[in-house]
Amino acid sequence: MEYGRLQPSEPGGSSKHHVAENPSLPQTATSSASSTSRSRKNKLILISLLSVALILASAVSAVVLFAGRSKASNSAASSALHRKPTKAISDACARTRFPSLCVDSLLDFPGSTTASEQDLVHISFNMTLQRLSKALYLSFSLSYRQMDPYSRSAYDDCLELLDDSVDALSRALTSVIPGAASTSTSTQDVLTWLSAALTNQDTCGEGFEQINGGDIKNEMDQRLKDLSELVSNCLAIYSAIGGGDFSGVPIQNRRRRLLGNSDMERDIMGDNANVSRDFPRWLGRRERRLLAVPGSQIQADIIVSKDGSGTFKTIAEAIKKAPESSSRRTIIYVKAGRYEESNLKVARKKTNLMFIGDGKGKTIITGGKNVAQKVTTFHTATFAAQGAGFIARDLTFENYAGPDKHQAVALRIGADHAVVYHCSIIGYQDTFYVHSNRQFVRETDIYGTVDFIFGNAAVVFQKCSLYARKPMANQKNTITAQNRKDPNQNTGISIHDCRILATPELEGSKGSFPTYLGRPWKLYSRTVYMLSFIGDHVHPRGWLEWNGNFALDTLYYGEYMNSGPGAAVGQRVTWPGYRVITSPVEAGKFTVAQFIYGSSWLPSTGVAFLAGLSV
C-alpha cells in the first residue's frame, strides 16, 4: 500500500511512519530561536545534573547493598582470567530474550556474583537505571548541534522519553529494593513502569529510524545502544520471580495482584446490582462526584475562558499555573470555545490534573500539526498528557490536518492512571495515541481512518463509539494498531461494550473502503473486542496483515460475544494468533478489573466503569 503506514515493514519489526528525508536545511538565527535555545540550555543543565546524581545514587546503593558479600569474593574474582556466571545469573538470564547481554551486564555490576536470584531483580533494575541515566546525560551534549527540523523533533522526543524512562526505573527500583518496598506499590505497578520504559525506548528509536544516516542519528544510536534490550531483560527477570502464568493466555504475563473472594466475584460477574461498580476503585469519592455533575457547577481551581472572564485566556497558561508533583486533584475548567494553541502538554510532573469542558463539540481543543511538517508522529499531538492521574471530561480533541497529511494525532496520552470520559477525539490517520501506562476511556466518540487508535498502553475502552471515516482513494481503514513489542509487557487494547460504526460519509461508499478491526504494528500486538456491536462496514476477514506473515503467530487478537452484522466470525482470518474467545474466564482477563487493575485506582477519579464482563 502506498499510503500512510499501510506499507512494507522491516523484518522482525515494523515502522509506523513514513520514511523521512534528512535534508540539509539552513539554520536561521532569530530572537525567538535564541530565547528557545536559552530555555533549552537551562533545562539541559538541570537535567544533566539530575542524571549525574541518579547515576551516583544508584551506584552508591549498589556498593552499600553488596559491600559485605563482595569483599568475600573479591580475591577469587580478581584471580580469574575470565568471568563465569553463577547459577543464579545463568537461571535468571535464561528467562530473558537477550541472555548474553543479560549475563555480561550483570557480571559488570558490583555484588552480582554473590547475589541470589531474588537479589538479581533489583540489581538488574539498578544497572539498567545507571545505563539510562548515562544515556540521558550523554545525549544532552548533542543539544547545541545544528539539526534539520525532523532530526530536532526526533532528538527532542528522545530526551523527553529517556527522562520519563529514568523516572519509571527509579520508581520500580525503589519498589523492589529489599526493605524499601512500598506497601502502596503492587507488582502490576512495577510491570507497568517497566513496560512504559520499554515503550519509551521503542518510540525514541522509531523517530531516528526515519532518518537516512547523519551524525546525529549515528551518535544517538550509540547512546541508545542496548537500552531496550536491558529494559526487556528487567521485565523478564521480574516477571519470572514468583508468579504463575495465565494458563497459557498471554494477558498479564505471570504476576498479578491477589484478589479476595468479593473482588474475584466482581471481576467475573460485574456486580450489576451495586451502582458503585460503575467506578473503578482508584477513582475516589470526590472524583466520582466531580464526574457526575455539570462542569459549570464544579468549583474549579483554574478557569480558562477566551473572553477573559476566567483565570486565564489560554489552556497553556492554566497548565503552567498548575502545581507540580501534587497529590491533590487540580481542576481546570475550560469554558466553551475553540482553543488552538501550540505545544499543549501536561508534563510528567504535572500530576492529578483534571480538565473539564462544557461538552462535546462545545469546548474544542484543536490543531493541525502533522508529519508533512517534518516532525515525528509523537510530536504532532494537538494535546498530550504525561502527568499521572490525568483526567479529561466533556471535551473535544481535534486534529484537522486531513487524510492527505497522513499521521496527525489529536490526543496523545502516556500518563499512568489516565481517564478520558465523555469526550470526542477527531482526526484521520493516528487520531488517538494511547502511548503507554494504564488508561481508561469511557463514553467517548473516536473518529478516524488509518490506525486511528494506536500505541502500547494497557487501555480499556468502555461504552465508546468508534467511527470509521471515509479515507483517501485506495486506502483501507484500520481501527487499531497495537504495538506491544515484548511478550512480558502488560499492555494491549481492550474494546468492551462499544459500538463500531461508520460515519454517514463512509456509509455511502463503504463497499469501496473496507474497514478492519486492527493490524499488528509490533510483534506481540494484542487487541480484543468484547460484547461490542460491529457494523457491516467491517470486512468479513475482520483483521488486516501489516506486512506478509509478520507477527501472525505471535500476536493475540480475540473476539468475544460481539453482535451486529459485522460480528460474524465464520470468514475471519485463520492466523495462529487470532482466536474466537469462548471462555468468560479468558475474556475476563481483559476487563477493567483484571487488565488495567482499575478497581484499585478508578474509583478515585469518579468515572463510571464496569469492573467485569457483564453489561
Side-chain angles (χ1 to χ4, degrees):
M1 299 296 170
E2 297 299 323
Y3 74 94
R5 288 192 307 277
L6 291 185
Q7 54 186 330
S9 57
E10 294 299 319
S14 49
S15 172
K16 192 171 176 292
H17 314 286
H18 291 299
V19 175
E21 296 178 356
N22 186 21
S24 276
L25 299 179
Q27 306 294 317
T28 56
T30 64
S31 59
S32 175
S34 298
S35 175
T36 301
S37 178
R38 285 193 300 271
S39 176
R40 179 183 287 117
K41 180 177 180 181
N42 291 336
K43 182 179 179 182
L44 296 184
I45 291 172
L46 176 60
I47 300 182
S48 295
L49 291 172
L50 290 174
S51 299
V52 172
L54 275 168
I55 295 171
L56 292 173
S58 57
V60 168
S61 70
V63 171
V64 171
L65 192 62
F66 293 101
R69 277 178 284 183
S70 294
K71 288 178 182 178
S73 59
N74 276 345
S75 58
S78 62
S79 63
L81 295 176
H82 63 278
R83 300 174 303 171
K84 183 177 180 180
T86 62
K87 184 178 186 301
I89 291 176
S90 296
D91 289 347
C93 291
R95 302 185 181 99
T96 68
R97 300 180 66 212
F98 308 98
S100 295
L101 176 64
C102 176
V103 170
D104 290 342
S105 59
L106 288 178
L107 284 175
D108 283 340
F109 202 85
S112 63
T113 55
T114 57
S116 67
E117 200 167 338
Q118 186 71 47
D119 288 334
L120 291 174
V121 172
H122 55 83
I123 288 178
S124 67
F125 285 21
N126 203 330
M127 174 269 301
T128 302
L129 175 58
Q130 287 192 34
R131 293 284 293 270
L132 283 167
S133 300
K134 182 178 179 181
L136 177 60
Y137 174 74
L138 293 175
S139 296
F140 283 129
S141 65
L142 303 177
S143 63
Y144 308 108
R145 300 270 287 275
Q146 288 190 341
M147 304 180 199
D148 63 85
Y150 185 90
S151 294
R152 174 62 68 180
S153 176
Y155 172 77
D156 287 345
D157 289 351
C158 279
L159 290 188
E160 176 181 342
L161 292 162
L162 276 168
D163 191 34
D164 287 346
S165 293
V166 167
D167 178 74
L169 260 294
S170 298
R171 283 181 285 140
L173 177 60
T174 300
S175 301
V176 300
I177 285 180
S182 169
T183 56
S184 63
T185 300
S186 72
T187 56
Q188 286 303 314
D189 291 330
V190 177
L191 282 174
T192 296
W193 300 332
L194 293 175
S195 295
L198 183 52
T199 300
N200 291 341
Q201 297 316 116
D202 199 26
T203 305
C204 169
E206 284 162 6
F208 281 100
E209 281 177 4
Q210 312 311 311
I211 301 172
N212 296 320
D215 291 342
I216 297 297
K217 171 182 169 59
N218 294 336
E219 292 184 46
M220 282 299 294
D221 284 346
Q222 282 299 113
R223 287 157 172 76
L224 300 172
K225 182 176 172 58
D226 295 334
L227 292 184
S228 290
E229 291 81 359
L230 289 171
V231 178
S232 172
N233 287 346
C234 286
L235 258 173
I237 292 171
Y238 181 71
S239 297
I241 299 295
D245 226 327
F246 278 69
S247 301
V249 180
I251 311 303
Q252 292 287 3
N253 291 294
R254 303 179 176 90
R255 297 174 68 94
R256 57 168 298 192
R257 178 178 60 87
L258 295 177
L259 301 174
N261 292 335
S262 60
D263 291 323
M264 184 64 74
E265 181 180 345
R266 182 173 174 183
D267 285 351
I268 297 173
M269 303 305 296
D271 196 14
N272 286 308
N274 187 345
V275 73
S276 67
R277 62 132 170 78
D278 286 339
F279 301 92
R281 209 174 291 158
W282 41 268
L283 286 177
R285 188 172 300 172
R286 180 171 182 258
E287 279 78 4
R288 297 185 215 187
R289 290 197 298 267
L290 290 173
L291 288 161
V293 299
S296 59
Q297 296 179 20
I298 292 174
Q299 186 164 352
D301 298 287
I302 301 171
I303 297 175
V304 179
S305 179
K306 293 179 72 71
D307 63 9
S309 62
T311 317
F312 299 109
K313 290 184 177 181
T314 67
I315 298 170
E317 289 176 293
I319 295 173
K320 185 177 181 181
K321 178 68 174 180
E324 292 189 348
S325 305
S326 175
S327 59
R328 176 188 174 275
R329 177 71 61 191
T330 299
I331 302 168
I332 299 174
Y333 169 43
V334 186
K335 289 187 176 181
R338 190 174 182 87
Y339 298 82
E340 183 167 2
E341 305 175 37
S342 61
N343 300 318
L344 281 179
K345 182 172 71 174
V346 177
R348 190 186 74 244
K349 292 185 179 180
K350 298 284 184 175
T351 54
N352 292 307
L353 299 194
M354 180 178 188
F355 292 79
I356 300 178
D358 279 323
K360 299 175 186 178
K362 295 180 179 179
T363 300
I364 303 169
I365 302 173
T366 189
K369 193 178 289 187
N370 59 84
V371 294
Q373 297 169 333
K374 300 297 181 183
V375 295
T376 61
T377 300
F378 189 82
H379 241 75
T380 64
T382 298
F383 189 101
Q386 292 296 118
F390 167 79
I391 301 177
R393 173 194 154 185
D394 291 323
L395 297 163
T396 291
F397 300 94
E398 176 189 55
N399 192 310
Y400 58 73
D404 59 323
K405 301 300 183 182
H406 303 289
Q407 293 93 334
V409 176
L411 177 63
R412 167 170 57 82
I413 299 179
D416 197 17
H417 291 170
V419 174
V420 178
Y421 177 63
H422 208 255
C423 290
S424 186
I425 309 171
I426 303 172
Y428 287 89
Q429 183 170 348
D430 289 3
T431 303
F432 188 10
Y433 196 170
V434 288
H435 182 264
S436 54
N437 285 300
R438 290 163 289 196
Q439 304 179 23
F440 178 65
V441 185
R442 182 173 168 109
E443 296 175 35
T444 290
D445 304 326
I446 305 164
Y447 297 80
T449 54
V450 180
D451 302 345
F452 63 91
I453 299 172
F454 74 109
N456 196 29
V459 56
V460 175
F461 292 83
Q462 209 171 79
K463 294 188 179 298
C464 294
S465 296
L466 314 182
Y467 289 96
R469 307 179 76 174
K470 183 177 180 180
M472 293 194 301
N474 301 316
Q475 282 190 327
K476 297 178 177 68
N477 285 332
T478 43
I479 297 171
T480 66
Q482 206 283 327
N483 67 312
R484 181 167 169 258
K485 182 181 182 179
D486 190 284
N488 288 301
Q489 288 180 299
N490 63 346
T491 54
I493 295 173
S494 174
I495 296 171
H496 180 202
D497 190 22
C498 293
R499 299 186 304 155
I500 316 304
L501 305 169
T503 60
E505 185 182 19
L506 178 61
E507 275 289 347
S509 54
K510 59 191 173 187
S512 303
F513 302 99
T515 295
Y516 296 87
L517 299 175
R519 59 183 184 140
W521 179 13
K522 294 294 171 65
L523 194 61
Y524 297 95
S525 182
R526 183 159 63 185
T527 302
V528 296
Y529 287 77
M530 306 189 301
L531 298 167
S532 294
F533 175 89
I534 301 177
D536 64 359
H537 63 298
V538 172
H539 194 280
R541 293 184 74 245
W543 306 82
L544 185 66
E545 297 86 350
W546 184 277
N547 177 32
N549 293 326
F550 171 73
L552 302 188
D553 58 349
T554 51
L555 59 80
Y556 181 98
Y557 284 169
E559 296 181 59
Y560 177 73
M561 294 184 64
N562 297 305
S563 62
V569 296
Q571 299 181 53
R572 286 294 196 254
V573 295
T574 57
W575 307 338
Y578 169 75
R579 60 199 291 120
V580 177
I581 301 172
T582 57
S583 165
V585 175
E586 180 176 348
K589 307 296 185 183
F590 295 98
T591 59
V592 163
Q594 294 190 52
F595 193 53
I596 59 172
Y597 286 77
S599 295
S600 67
W601 57 276
L602 278 171
S604 65
T605 68
V607 174
F609 77 99
L610 185 67
L613 281 172
S614 301
V615 297

